[in-house]
Amino acid sequence: MPNQKSNKLSVKSRFWIKGEKGTFLGEGRILLLEEIGTHGSISKAAKAMKMSYLKAWRLVDSMNSSVAEPLVIRTTGGIGGGGTLLTEKGKKAVELYRKLKDKSDLFLDEELSKLSIQFDS
Amino acid sequence: MPNQKSNKLSVKSRFWIKGEKGTFLGEGRILLLEEIGTHGSISKAAKAMKMSYLKAWRLVDSMNSSVAEPLVIRTTGGIGGGGTLLTEKGKKAVELYRKLKDKSDLFLDEELSKLSIQFDS
């Protein structure tokens, strides 16, 4: 008879997408891109995440230099004095990560269920 | 034309199997179980991992109290004065984690390859 305790196993995961130079995307970087998309500003995005501007800037710089097309660009001039934009490539990066995360969560849940049966027996 | 840089994306992941009381298995805990299996001693396993005996003992205690049957047991007496054994359940836990890790790595690699094509286009 399977025991009650181990029937309630669940799985939590984290992953990082790496480029040639090291980490390209991870949960924190994606949250930053999403906040930049929302606020149109690295400074406001950093504040929303309680992250220093310098750290946010470095993460953006690291992501931008990992791929040929930048994920985040600065716009200058205009009424608001310019700002920061999430490019189409940036939006695609967020989408890629979120899709992979969803698929991974689903996969791990299913596989854990299957393996748990063997573990309990 | 897909760019050269983002064609070389790879994925690195970590996961934790959680029980009702929190983390049950993770990479460090599994390495500890494997070392206990090898050395037949929590103390020697801890040394091999450059971990304090107290930390190793706490991790074992946490794993043992997460499931109905213990993963690690102490044996007393005998010529060697007793020792520590990885139980069949303990061996199953290692096997469950390693299988899930292998499947997860394979799955993430495949999914990243698929999604990278969309990302590059």
Side-chain angles (χ1 to χ4, degrees):
Chain A
M1 184 181 145
N3 76 64
Q4 290 302 312
K5 285 186 199 169
S6 54
N7 278 338
K8 302 211 178 165
L9 296 179
S10 62
V11 63
K12 191 188 100 177
S13 74
R14 291 202 68 171
F15 64 81
W16 297 262
I17 297 173
K18 313 199 86 172
E20 288 172 49
K21 295 176 192 173
T23 302
F24 168 44
L25 302 173
E27 189 65 29
R29 288 164 181 244
I30 291 297
L31 288 172
L32 180 61
L33 292 180
E34 288 170 335
E35 292 288 351
I36 289 170
T38 303
H39 297 286
S41 149
I42 292 181
S43 165
K44 284 178 188 165
K47 264 183 202 151
M49 292 182 71
K50 290 171 181 158
M51 180 187 277
S52 74
Y53 175 78
L54 184 64
K55 183 168 180 192
W57 188 88
R58 280 185 179 151
L59 290 175
V60 166
D61 187 55
S62 162
M63 288 186 272
N64 274 350
S65 62
S66 293
V67 279
E69 288 174 63
L71 308 187
V72 170
I73 51 167
R74 292 206 168 226
T75 58
T76 50
I79 293 165
T84 308
L85 266 182
L86 195 60
T87 63
E88 283 307 310
K89 205 72 177 174
K91 289 173 191 166
K92 273 191 176 182
V94 171
E95 202 187 338
L96 175 150
Y97 182 90
R98 291 287 174 225
K99 270 191 189 169
L100 195 56
K101 178 73 180 147
D102 288 347
K103 285 180 176 220
S104 165
D105 286 348
L106 200 66
F107 179 82
L108 285 172
D109 283 345
E110 285 174 358
E111 290 298 322
L112 180 64
S113 299
K114 286 187 221 164
L115 292 169
S116 291
I117 295 166
Q118 295 170 35
F119 182 68
D120 283 335
S121 65
Chain B
M1 185 182 144
N3 75 66
Q4 290 302 311
K5 285 187 199 171
S6 53
N7 277 338
K8 302 213 177 163
L9 296 178
S10 62
V11 63
K12 190 189 99 175
S13 74
R14 291 204 67 172
F15 64 81
W16 297 264
I17 297 173
K18 314 199 85 172
E20 287 173 48
K21 297 176 190 172
T23 303
F24 168 45
L25 303 173
E27 188 66 29
R29 287 163 182 244
I30 292 297
L31 288 172
L32 180 61
L33 292 180
E34 289 171 334
E35 292 287 351
I36 289 170
T38 303
H39 298 285
S41 149
I42 294 182
S43 165
K44 284 179 190 164
K47 263 183 204 154
M49 291 182 73
K50 289 173 184 158
M51 180 187 278
S52 74
Y53 175 78
L54 184 65
K55 182 166 181 195
W57 188 88
R58 280 184 178 148
L59 289 174
V60 166
D61 187 55
S62 163
M63 288 186 272
N64 274 350
S65 63
S66 293
V67 279
E69 289 173 63
L71 308 187
V72 170
I73 52 167
R74 290 203 171 231
T75 58
T76 50
I79 295 166
T84 308
L85 264 183
L86 194 61
T87 64
E88 282 308 308
K89 206 71 176 175
K91 288 173 192 166
K92 271 191 177 182
V94 171
E95 201 187 339
L96 177 149
Y97 181 92
R98 291 286 174 225
K99 270 191 190 168
L100 196 55
K101 178 71 179 148
D102 287 347
K103 284 179 176 220
S104 166
D105 285 347
L106 200 65
F107 179 82
L108 285 171
D109 282 345
E110 285 174 358
E111 289 301 320
L112 180 64
S113 298
K114 287 188 219 161
L115 291 169
S116 291
I117 295 165
Q118 294 169 36
F119 182 68
D120 284 333
S121 66

